[in-house]
Amino acid sequence: MSTSRRAVLGAALGGAAGAAVGLPAPPASAASWQLKWAPSASRDGLGAFETVEDDRANSHPAGRPHIHPTGDNWRFTMHKVDRDTSTDRQRQEVTGLRTSDSGYLKWTQGQTWRITYSMYIPSSLKATTTFTHIMQMKQPGNGTLPIVVQSLRRDGGTSLLERSRELGGGVQTIELKLAIDDILVGRTDLAPLHDKWTDVDFQIKVGNGSAGSVRWILKSGSTTVVDKARTGVDTFLADRVRPKWGIYRSLGDTSGSLQDTYLLLTNLRGYQLV
């Protein structure tokens, strides 16, 4: 992988300006992003994550491992025959940010976190008319609802690139949504991002009610294709927030888009604003 694909997006948050006459002096040090998690697929493998959900229903043993390191990348493979414990959907995901054999990072109320990484979405991983999530923010525990989802979704053909239209499905898009209150943060066409590396920069302030905020940035090479933020939003349910990555999709798609496919991630980094 090229050096440019390994670039970390985590520059420090802007510093304080010089004090002016008659105004209070700026703080001695401004808040900045502190690197807390920097795993390597080749070095840490699946030990980079808090948990691994590889065919937890044991639906396709012959396909294992569905999640594994390959060189500098983590690969998530999804077969059409794979099933989750809820048989109307599929799931191959990892969760959390592990820092040692017994330790992992916990995102709690009032904290602000940032995740940067690169993802490779092949053209076989298509947007669907129901849900296909490739990143989630959730409260840990079985049956908990998602807080934030990054999804591949068909928008009904009402916007963006008409050349992306496929029979029965509308335009393929990638979006970020606040799931608690069904708030769309941003959306862009998926087709131009297929079969290439895309850089992701996701930031979240963990807050209940209206105390939370998010920012979502996607870059393709030197081009910023999305930079959207929402403040005054709910980003907390209970306990803590834990990120998830992989492929989690419904089998209810009506566009014929479900195929054997995969997702690659690399250069995962986690920062806390301190």
Side-chain angles (χ1 to χ4, degrees):
M1 179 175 296
S2 68
T3 302
S4 62
R5 297 253 48 89
R6 301 170 183 270
V8 176
L9 301 178
L13 200 67
V21 175
L23 296 177
S29 60
S32 62
W33 294 110
Q34 301 295 313
L35 182 64
K36 298 291 186 178
W37 184 62
S40 161
S42 59
R43 180 189 66 237
D44 303 302
L46 298 182
F49 307 105
E50 184 179 339
T51 68
V52 178
E53 298 173 348
D54 186 329
D55 192 14
R56 61 183 188 172
N58 197 34
S59 67
H60 188 200
R64 289 182 175 172
H66 298 84
I67 308 171
H68 61 91
T70 173
D72 290 333
N73 309 318
W74 288 276
R75 180 183 172 109
F76 302 79
T77 301
M78 184 67 77
H79 308 98
K80 288 180 68 175
V81 299
D82 297 345
R83 295 293 183 270
D84 192 24
T85 50
S86 296
T87 56
D88 63 342
R89 62 197 62 191
Q90 303 176 299
R91 183 196 305 270
Q92 310 292 359
E93 291 184 302
V94 296
T95 79
L97 288 67
R98 182 166 294 281
T99 55
S100 67
D101 289 344
S102 59
Y104 48 84
L105 297 176
K106 296 182 179 180
W107 297 7
T108 57
Q109 280 198 79
Q111 295 181 341
T112 302
W113 289 89
R114 182 180 193 177
I115 293 291
T116 66
Y117 60 97
S118 295
M119 61 182 177
Y120 185 92
I121 303 176
S123 55
S124 58
L125 181 51
K126 301 181 184 303
T128 55
T129 55
T130 48
F131 68 83
T132 294
H133 303 322
I134 57 173
M135 181 187 75
Q136 300 186 73
M137 301 290 143
K138 294 192 70 177
Q139 172 194 339
N142 292 330
T144 57
L145 297 174
I147 299 167
V148 181
V149 288
Q150 180 178 257
S151 309
L152 312 181
R153 193 183 301 276
R154 293 182 181 273
D155 75 344
T158 59
S159 67
L160 309 175
L161 298 178
E162 288 303 310
R163 63 183 173 81
S164 300
R165 186 186 299 276
E166 295 185 16
L167 181 63
V171 176
Q172 295 191 77
T173 68
I174 180 170
E175 67 179 31
L176 190 85
K177 181 173 283 190
L178 294 160
I180 296 175
D181 295 314
D182 195 28
I183 296 172
L184 180 66
V185 177
R187 175 188 287 159
T188 192
D189 289 285
L190 176 61
L193 304 181
H194 268 145
D195 299 322
K196 62 181 66 173
W197 288 97
T198 301
D199 295 322
V200 182
D201 184 340
F202 172 76
Q203 303 165 34
I204 181 171
K205 180 179 179 182
V206 180
N208 199 26
S210 61
S213 64
V214 296
R215 185 179 181 186
W216 182 51
I217 304 169
L218 295 183
K219 290 187 176 182
S220 181
S222 60
T223 301
T224 299
V225 294
V226 172
D227 187 348
K228 296 291 185 179
R230 290 295 296 260
T231 59
V233 293
D234 193 354
T235 58
F236 183 76
L237 290 173
D239 185 23
R240 60 187 172 106
V241 174
R242 182 172 67 179
K244 303 186 76 173
W245 295 273
I247 302 174
Y248 177 43
R249 66 185 184 181
S250 166
L251 294 171
D253 172 69
T254 58
S255 66
S257 296
L258 299 179
Q259 300 177 230
D260 289 351
T261 190
Y262 65 94
L263 171 72
L264 298 179
L265 302 181
T266 195
N267 200 33
L268 283 157
R269 297 291 183 266
Y271 303 85
Q272 185 179 7
L273 188 65
V274 294

